[in-house]
Amino acid sequence: MITVDAALRDARSRGVERLDAHLLLSHVLGQSRAWLLAHGGDALSSDQAAAFDGLVARRAAGEPFAYLVGEREFHGLTLAVSDAVLVPRPDTETLVDWALELLRGKLRDVDAPTVLDLGTGSGAIALALKNAAPRARVWAGERSGGALAVARENAQRLSLDVHFAHGDWWDALAGEPEAPAFDLVVSNPPYIAADDPHLAALTHEPLSALVAGDEGLADIRRIAQGASGRLRAGGWLLFEHGWEQGAAVQAILQRSGFGEVSTRVDIEGRARCTGGRLVG
Ligand SMILES: C[S@@+](CC[C@H](N)C(=O)[O-])C[C@H]1O[C@@H](n2cnc3c(N)ncnc32)[C@H](O)[C@@H]1O
């Protein structure tokens, strides 16, 4: 028999942070953190102890917290996540906020602006945009069938009407006769170079969501170069990218026919999003 306090101590001794240990035990017991503090002497059932022990082992091995509890908050939404998708990051809210600024500013006179999220993963960006700007007609493309299933499930659970398309970047729209010309396209594509040392800390997330060729710029280049077929003249294309890639992404956009190119910083002040407007 093990008590709540003893289980938490055991997790700490195995290298799991105090907050994570509390949240994992809350998850297993279906109780709040306040409840844990008030019931330190209560015994866990053997099933609860085994479930907690398994989660502690996975967390101690470096698995993202979000995979263990199966969900993550993003831009005010609770999204289901699995190991088929990248765990949505707070940094990506910078991209969402920039897109919302355009929808409420330069695109405010468009009745039902058409928006596309390329490489939607869990659906995070597309769903956050539809939630905050319901008048937008939101589409989302994704190559991974596993990720697309997670995104569809999130859309259904949150009752957000997003149209999903399966396939490689712009090709995902090839079999979609209803696909409109887009006013705004956003993408957080893979942008980490294959030899980047930061990858060592990301072993639990799908490599196909993280790594791109050409020093991390290959997917950004393909999306920018293919945009003119689907983005209407005067429409916007915004990317998230690595904090040292701002100048390179600006150059890619300029060479792909974009003007008004600029870069935004994330919540930590690092250059993380670059976008521009397709010259008509
Ligand atoms: C960095 S993750 C971003 C996921 C999600 N948009 C987010 O911000 O949390 C990149 C996503 O692009 C998808 N992807 C990678 N290559 C792709 C391709 N060639 N065509 C379409 N999607 C692709 C991956 O499966 C992954 O879901």
Side-chain angles (χ1 to χ4, degrees):
M1 185 204 82
I2 187 166
T3 64
V4 165
D5 277 348
L8 291 171
R9 271 198 307 277
D10 175 59
R12 295 282 291 123
S13 74
R14 291 157 72 187
V16 173
E17 303 229 343
R18 183 168 187 272
L19 178 61
D20 284 1
H22 277 231
L23 293 174
L24 288 176
L25 191 52
S26 295
H27 174 73
V28 167
L29 301 182
Q31 300 285 0
S32 67
R33 284 189 75 203
W35 185 95
L36 296 185
L37 296 173
H39 292 80
D42 285 18
L44 306 189
S45 72
S46 54
D47 284 353
Q48 289 167 337
F52 183 60
D53 183 64
L55 291 177
V56 166
R58 289 167 64 190
R59 186 69 193 119
E63 196 166 333
F65 184 86
Y67 288 167
L68 302 183
V69 296
E71 62 184 35
R72 175 69 170 229
E73 293 290 316
F74 180 79
H75 215 272
L77 299 176
T78 301
L79 298 172
V81 295
S82 77
D83 60 8
V85 301
L86 185 92
V87 177
R89 309 291 204 267
D91 311 10
T92 302
E93 297 190 348
T94 304
L95 186 66
V96 172
D97 290 339
W98 189 356
L100 289 175
E101 199 181 297
L102 287 172
L103 289 168
R104 291 168 183 155
K106 293 196 158 94
L107 294 169
R108 70 178 173 280
D109 294 331
V110 183
D111 272 352
T114 45
V115 178
L116 171 65
D117 170 23
L118 281 176
T120 199
S122 62
I125 299 171
L127 295 169
L129 291 175
K130 183 66 187 175
N131 184 51
R135 81 182 207 285
R137 283 198 288 144
V138 181
W139 286 61
E142 172 60 54
R143 186 180 56 182
S144 152
L148 208 53
V150 173
R152 284 201 163 104
E153 179 198 318
N154 278 320
Q156 194 169 17
R157 191 175 33 77
L158 295 165
S159 302
L160 290 168
D161 182 16
V162 169
H163 191 111
F164 293 99
H166 188 196
D168 187 58
W169 300 136
W170 300 105
D171 293 350
L173 301 174
E176 301 281 346
E178 311 274 288
F182 289 96
D183 296 300
L184 172 61
V185 176
V186 291
S187 184
N188 173 18
Y191 54 72
I192 303 180
D195 60 355
D196 188 315
H198 295 102
L199 278 177
L202 300 170
T203 50
H204 293 272
E205 292 176 278
L207 261 193
S208 56
L210 296 166
V211 174
D214 191 13
E215 297 178 347
L217 294 167
D219 287 308
I220 288 176
R221 185 170 284 119
R222 277 187 60 203
I223 294 169
Q225 288 175 347
S228 62
R230 290 287 180 179
L231 190 61
R232 71 165 175 76
W236 294 84
L237 173 59
L238 312 181
F239 287 112
E240 177 176 315
H241 53 71
W243 60 280
E244 292 175 315
Q245 294 173 328
V249 178
Q250 286 208 4
I252 289 171
L253 283 171
Q254 279 152 355
R255 281 198 294 268
S256 306
F258 288 81
E260 298 182 50
V261 172
S262 66
T263 295
R264 297 259 173 126
V265 296
D266 67 11
I267 41 179
E268 291 178 38
R270 294 170 306 193
R272 291 301 302 281
C273 293
T274 295
R277 188 171 201 176
L278 189 63
V279 175

